[in-house]
Amino acid sequence: MSSVDDAAGEQGALLALDDVKPPAPRGRRKAALGAQEMASELPVARVLLDLQPAHLDREYDYLVPASMADGAQPGTRVRARFGAQEVDGFVVARLASSEHDGRLVPLRRLVSAEVVLTPPVLRLVRAVAERWAGTTADVLRLAVPPRHARTEKEPAPDADDAPATPAPASWAGLWAPYRGGEAFLGHVARGGAPKAVWTPLPGLAPALEDGGVPTVTHWAAAVALAARAAVTAGRGVLVVVPDARDAGRVAAAVEAAGVPDVVRLLAEDGPAPRYRAFLAAARGRARVVVGTRAAMFAPVADLGLVAVWGDGEDTLAEPHAPYPHARDVLALRSDLEQAAYLLGSPGRTAAAQALLAGWAHEVVAPREVVRARAPRVRALTSTELAAEGPGAAARIPTAAWRAARDALAHGPVLVQVPRTGYLPVVACVRCRTPATCDACHGPLALGSGTAAPQCRWCGRLAAGWRCGECGSSGLRAVRVGSERTAEELGRAFPGVPVRVSTSTAPGGVMDRVPGRPAVVVATPGAEPVADGGYAAALLLDAAVATAAPGLDGATRALHRWLAAAHLVRPATAGGQVLLVGDAAPGPTGALVRFDPGGFADRELAERIELALPPAVRVAAVTGDRASVAALVGRVPLATPEATLGPVDVEQDAPGDGSLFDGAPVRVVVRVPSQHGLELARQLRASQAVRSAHREPGTLRVRLDPEELL
């Protein structure tokens, strides 16, 4: 391990074990460094520096000045000289001597004596960098939030050693209906590390008090009881969910289950609240940490349970290098820290199904229990609606309108639409050619019934638009958004309140709605919980949902439909779900049967037969042709049989093409899953060679790329 000489950026002479001395002074600045007294005990600090080049991804040794001897402990932030620059880093060890065969320089500054990088998290960071062919510096940026000095200096609250209070009596037996549910809970309570892929029952948990209205989702209450079991065993808990609303629901449920010291760690809360929650975990003052993707590296002490909810949601996939998924990171963390693992979701991905092949156990309810708890599901396809007459061709056919009208007499009705906005996609009214912007060729949209067309990419207005094919200036709707849907429903049900829950709505995304009659229009993932459950749900534009590109298009559609269906009352209470549109038959049948496990099992079997992920490990290398060829050419596993491409990457849409100069291409390397880690190591080594040789061009390397799944 080495450090770079302070002035010249060169490696110095060998340091003997008993000759740890500062470098010889050169000039006034060097004289000042030379006069520094070094720490008498463990005078060498091993440091991980925030260095981007892949070939510099290693640890470096520095001398510890006596003034920093007490503060520069493993896990603290420091600044150190590297060549001509001063960079941030983390101390990972204090040593009596260095193995570096040269001169060491002192650390420049102790940024903070707060230990923010714990040994378990450091092991996880290294494992993630290795598995996803990234650099340690990239993963550290995801793992440790930026320092907020004012928050760090706040007086620490008094430790709360209060034991967990009894869980609500009405929640007793929530895990009993599941095969293996009580066994999983008991194993966690004894300090064990079971692994489970869990498909929860739909609906809400029993009310917390007699005569009350159920307001807590069943899945949140069940996760809270699992967290309570781990805390009772004296261990910590980490729960990662797709968004802030789910985090709030789980945190409230955990507190209702009688568990103290619960914190929420959310990146969207801002620097100070996020860092405050992070410090609570690092200092051991939080028994349970609930958060979004940013929390998957939270330094929870003595971790006993990691839980992931809704792995079919896009928000759990990290968009920054090295692009890990929370589901897989927490599975890795579960093994490294001997913690229990719970993956729950209304749907089930093929990746989750693959975990059942010898690593995790399935926790599901018997079919008769699912049928008793689920709402009635009808698929209003064109075949089913053939006898409806002209009303069958409407976006909300007569049968759906009639069901919504009847349900409104008993409670709220949920209407799920795939897109936000008014008319997000329009086309020429005469020839039906998609309407595009004259400047950037992006798609045009209408923000209201009276607004001029506007480009969704560059934002330019296209008031004088004319079709390039036929010259017509008229537009027709191709896709209908949430705002137009709410407008249509307001006219269809006069006197009934219509609420919109989307990211672009004036009120934003709602968390809860009263149990009174109302129409609630929401996009996938933004559905609020209705007190007592919805009387009915309409899932519109089903064909659009399953037409999404990628291997996981149908799986994600089923996940979103089931997530909405979970909020509807059971069929015994009159609850019903209507899927409107000619969607793909596979996910449609799975929704009608409420059988995500069976659908995932068939999906995985097909992918194994076709050698598609997750049956194989896939890496995508994108960049200019010469750079891609050079990097892939140094990967022994990238044989002609395992390599697909190169293929051109589209540059006329936001995405991969906009990141690169020239005409980018993509090469896909596909290897058996048992060789996946070796593929990542070889790609990492090839990137280090590229960095060291300063090869030109821009590249991006992604393992398990979401755009191909």
Side-chain angles (χ1 to χ4, degrees):
M1 305 304 168
S2 61
S3 65
V4 175
D5 189 86
D6 191 28
E10 300 174 351
Q11 302 295 337
L14 171 67
L15 269 180
L17 194 149
D18 297 325
D19 295 331
V20 179
K21 299 177 182 179
R26 277 180 279 171
R28 185 172 300 175
R29 186 161 58 91
K30 282 297 185 178
L33 288 174
Q36 282 186 298
E37 181 183 355
M38 296 299 118
S40 58
E41 296 183 3
L42 304 178
V44 176
R46 186 153 290 168
V47 181
L48 271 175
L49 296 175
D50 186 8
L51 298 171
Q52 187 64 34
H55 70 288
L56 300 178
D57 185 20
R58 54 195 176 97
E59 298 165 354
Y60 297 87
D61 289 350
Y62 286 87
L63 296 178
V64 181
S67 59
M68 305 180 194
D70 295 333
Q73 298 300 318
T76 57
R77 304 177 198 255
V78 294
R79 287 186 67 82
R81 196 77 177 178
F82 191 87
Q85 59 182 334
E86 198 174 288
V87 296
D88 294 315
F90 295 91
V91 177
V92 297
R94 286 284 295 274
L95 307 170
S97 63
S98 173
E99 298 175 357
H100 169 52
D101 195 13
R103 175 178 299 182
L104 301 184
V105 297
L107 295 172
R108 297 302 296 267
R109 185 161 66 92
L110 175 65
V111 175
S112 170
E114 191 77 46
V115 176
V116 293
L117 182 60
T118 61
V121 173
L122 177 59
R123 288 196 298 271
L124 178 64
V125 165
R126 288 169 170 158
V128 168
E130 182 180 41
R131 178 178 172 80
W132 279 274
T135 63
T136 309
D138 281 340
V139 184
L140 281 172
R141 293 189 192 103
L142 305 178
V144 183
R147 180 177 181 244
H148 195 271
R150 184 181 303 172
T151 301
E152 198 173 88
K153 295 174 182 177
E154 292 175 353
D158 295 334
D160 184 5
D161 297 326
T165 58
S170 60
W171 288 4
L174 277 184
W175 284 91
Y178 299 99
R179 296 192 187 99
E182 293 283 4
F184 175 83
L185 215 61
H187 202 175
V188 172
R190 293 189 296 272
K195 323 293 184 186
V197 174
W198 167 52
T199 301
L201 289 166
L204 305 181
L208 293 171
E209 55 188 30
D210 292 338
V213 178
T215 58
V216 180
T217 56
H218 170 85
W219 70 265
V223 169
L225 292 182
R228 189 179 188 278
V231 170
T232 303
R235 305 191 69 183
V237 178
L238 173 60
V239 183
V240 176
V241 294
D243 55 47
R245 289 186 317 131
D246 286 335
R249 291 168 183 169
V250 173
V254 171
E255 291 173 348
V259 179
D261 300 331
V262 181
V263 298
R264 297 194 308 168
L265 204 166
L266 309 172
E268 50 264 49
D269 278 352
R274 178 188 179 188
Y275 196 59
R276 188 176 295 113
F278 179 86
L279 288 180
R283 294 169 177 173
R285 298 186 180 275
R287 301 185 187 183
V288 180
V289 174
V290 181
T292 50
R293 183 185 66 241
M296 60 185 172
F297 292 96
V300 180
D302 192 15
L303 191 61
L305 170 68
V306 292
V308 192
W309 171 253
D311 71 313
E313 295 289 345
D314 297 339
T315 53
L316 290 180
E318 177 57 55
H320 301 104
Y323 317 104
H325 195 287
R327 171 194 58 234
D328 304 317
V329 170
L330 292 182
L332 191 59
R333 187 168 188 179
S334 170
D335 284 340
L336 291 174
E337 300 189 45
Q338 292 301 299
Y341 180 83
L342 179 63
L343 172 59
S345 180
R348 187 181 298 176
T349 62
Q353 186 70 19
L355 296 177
L356 297 175
W359 188 79
H361 295 279
E362 186 178 41
V363 176
V364 295
R367 291 299 305 164
E368 59 271 16
V369 177
V370 175
R371 284 193 291 268
R373 298 280 292 272
R376 181 193 177 201
V377 181
R378 292 177 59 196
L380 300 182
T381 63
S382 56
T383 302
E384 170 116 355
L385 296 172
E388 289 285 339
R395 181 165 176 257
I396 303 178
T398 305
W401 180 88
R402 189 184 308 119
R405 180 198 60 192
D406 295 343
L408 282 170
H410 306 285
V413 171
L414 174 65
V415 179
Q416 186 193 74
V417 294
R419 295 175 180 266
T420 61
Y422 192 77
L423 295 179
V425 182
V426 292
C428 174
V429 70
R430 182 185 298 168
C431 68
R432 302 196 176 188
T433 300
T436 58
C437 175
D438 293 335
C440 71
H441 305 290
L444 296 184
L446 288 176
S448 70
T450 58
Q454 186 174 19
C455 179
R456 289 168 47 203
W457 290 0
C458 68
R460 296 188 183 186
L461 294 176
W465 177 86
R466 284 190 174 276
C467 177
E469 296 293 328
C470 67
S472 173
S473 60
L475 293 170
R476 67 182 301 272
V478 177
R479 299 284 183 266
V480 179
S482 55
E483 294 177 17
R484 175 63 178 265
T485 302
E487 183 182 284
E488 293 173 349
L489 290 170
R491 290 195 294 265
F493 300 105
V496 177
V498 178
R499 297 184 172 93
V500 180
S501 177
T502 67
S503 59
T504 59
V509 176
M510 297 185 292
D511 185 50
R512 284 174 55 186
V513 294
R516 298 186 296 271
V519 175
V520 180
V521 179
T523 48
E527 304 93 345
V529 174
D531 295 346
Y534 289 98
L538 306 183
L539 311 179
L540 302 183
D541 303 329
V544 175
T546 57
L551 290 178
D552 278 345
T555 301
R556 289 176 180 172
L558 177 61
H559 167 85
R560 290 165 177 171
W561 297 339
L562 286 168
H566 270 234
L567 303 177
V568 180
R569 300 167 189 171
T572 54
Q576 59 178 323
V577 175
L578 288 85
L579 181 68
V580 182
D582 291 325
T588 299
L591 176 66
V592 172
R593 296 188 305 272
F594 245 81
D595 184 23
F599 179 75
D601 189 53
R602 290 189 294 274
E603 278 281 302
L604 182 60
E606 290 178 2
R607 296 190 190 188
I608 291 173
E609 184 177 354
L610 299 173
L612 294 172
V616 296
R617 193 89 193 274
V618 170
V621 183
T622 309
D624 65 85
R625 190 174 295 270
S627 298
V628 170
L631 186 135
V632 174
R634 292 188 291 263
V635 176
L637 283 174
T639 61
E641 296 78 15
T643 303
L644 304 175
V647 296
D648 293 334
V649 175
E650 294 291 335
Q651 295 194 82
D652 59 350
D656 285 343
S658 61
L659 300 176
F660 307 99
D661 298 327
V665 298
R666 176 189 289 132
V667 167
V668 173
V669 182
R670 183 175 58 176
V671 300
S673 56
Q674 62 268 29
H675 298 153
L677 186 57
E678 180 58 27
L679 173 63
R681 288 170 177 162
Q682 292 179 9
L683 285 167
R684 200 177 182 201
S686 183
Q687 291 182 85
V689 172
R690 167 182 165 77
S691 173
H693 293 173
R694 299 186 178 182
E695 295 177 359
T698 304
L699 280 179
R700 187 178 75 176
V701 178
R702 293 194 67 169
L703 274 295
D704 311 319
E706 287 293 310
E707 66 266 22
L708 299 183
L709 300 182

